[in-house]
Amino acid sequence: LFSSTLKIIRHKPLTIFFDTKQQSYRRQVAMEIPTVSVAVCVLLLSLVGCSFSATTVFHDDFNGGNIDGNKWKHDKKTSGLGFEMYTPEHQNSYVRNGQLFICPTFTEDRFGADRFAHGSLDARELWGACDPNWGGDSCHTQGHKNRPIMSATLRSKTHIKYGRVEVRAKLPIGDWIWPGIWMMPTEPGHYGGWPKSGEIDMLETAGNLNLHHPNGRSLGVDMDQAHIHYGNARTGDGHARHEGQ
């Protein structure tokens, strides 16, 4: 059984300006937050003529004014993938005018320079709960281990075993932004540690306009990737990968 995970999502196109800190100054970088509407369909097999019919079991067009807690669950962790933490805080994910926004912000702006540099951040103290990573401590960080960026991950509460997932998305532009649309196992340890219980990455891409492999191949916004993770190891036969431009 899998649930869908959308890391950076929004319903309609918008171009915003996002401040990035570098030493003692800020610079503005144009960034487009992706457009996403989601529908998950379970395909039911009809015995008559062996034809397929589809029933929609999950759909969200973000017109309710708020993130629907009956449909979505926020990850809560102070240590996520890369240099961000995942929060349920309003400035990192909210609905406005029928649009879902997920926006990265600076940890220092939220907690102050001294606490960011020297203090501790505990997910359970901040948000009442923590969603541990598959290895490592994602619930508490301190000092130089504090993540500089706060963002959000939303997980659907609808689970499917067989079916079709449809996503429409406009992906963001901005250095080191990494949007992802994943299908994750509802029981991560059912068959053992990652990736034994599986993972389907429907889409991943980087927001960089100018990012290339040493061999010249693009790794930026004009390249998308999809993966299926399974088996015992991170490399080898346990992984399937597709890339497109």
Side-chain angles (χ1 to χ4, degrees), residues 8-14 33-37 62 99-101:
I8 305 181
I9 57 179
R10 183 175 91 73
H11 182 61
K12 296 179 181 178
L14 177 72
I33 301 298
T35 303
V36 175
S37 64
F62 311 116
Q99 303 173 23
L100 172 64
F101 296 82

Side-chain angles (χ1 to χ4, degrees), residues 33-143:
I33 301 298
T35 303
V36 175
S37 64
V38 182
V40 180
C41 296
V42 174
L43 300 181
L44 304 177
L45 178 63
S46 170
L47 296 179
V48 180
C50 293
S51 62
F52 288 93
S53 62
T55 300
T56 299
V57 298
F58 180 87
H59 176 80
D60 199 348
D61 55 13
F62 311 116
N63 283 323
N66 296 289
I67 296 173
D68 191 340
N70 294 317
K71 294 181 177 180
W72 299 100
K73 176 184 179 296
H74 282 89
D75 269 12
K76 301 174 182 178
K77 56 184 67 176
T78 56
S79 174
L81 297 173
F83 47 78
E84 76 275 21
M85 68 177 74
Y86 300 134
T87 90
E89 298 196 7
H90 182 263
Q91 70 267 21
N92 297 123
S93 57
Y94 54 90
V95 171
R96 186 177 65 201
N97 298 328
Q99 303 173 23
L100 172 64
F101 296 82
I102 293 187
C103 299
T105 59
F106 290 108
T107 306
E108 181 178 327
D109 292 345
R110 167 69 169 83
F111 297 104
D114 184 68
R115 185 175 181 183
F116 168 64
H118 307 291
S120 64
L121 299 173
D122 189 285
R124 294 186 178 91
E125 292 180 0
L126 292 169
W127 309 304
C130 178
D131 301 292
N133 287 330
W134 294 4
D137 183 9
S138 59
C139 300
H140 179 270
T141 57
Q142 185 167 3

Side-chain angles (χ1 to χ4, degrees), residues 229-243:
H229 300 290
Y230 59 93
N232 296 318
R234 187 175 179 84
T235 58
D237 294 337
H239 295 259
R241 178 172 178 168
H242 170 76
E243 296 180 347

Side-chain angles (χ1 to χ4, degrees), residues 154-197:
L154 273 70
R155 299 176 183 267
S156 71
K157 291 186 175 181
T158 297
H159 304 153
I160 64 171
K161 186 173 183 179
Y162 304 108
R164 184 178 71 197
V165 180
E166 298 179 354
V167 179
R168 296 193 304 271
K170 184 175 183 180
L171 303 175
I173 296 174
D175 286 351
W176 311 119
I177 299 172
W178 177 32
I181 303 172
W182 297 351
M183 300 289 288
M184 303 296 291
T186 57
E187 299 179 43
H190 185 79
Y191 296 106
W194 189 90
K196 291 181 180 179
S197 296

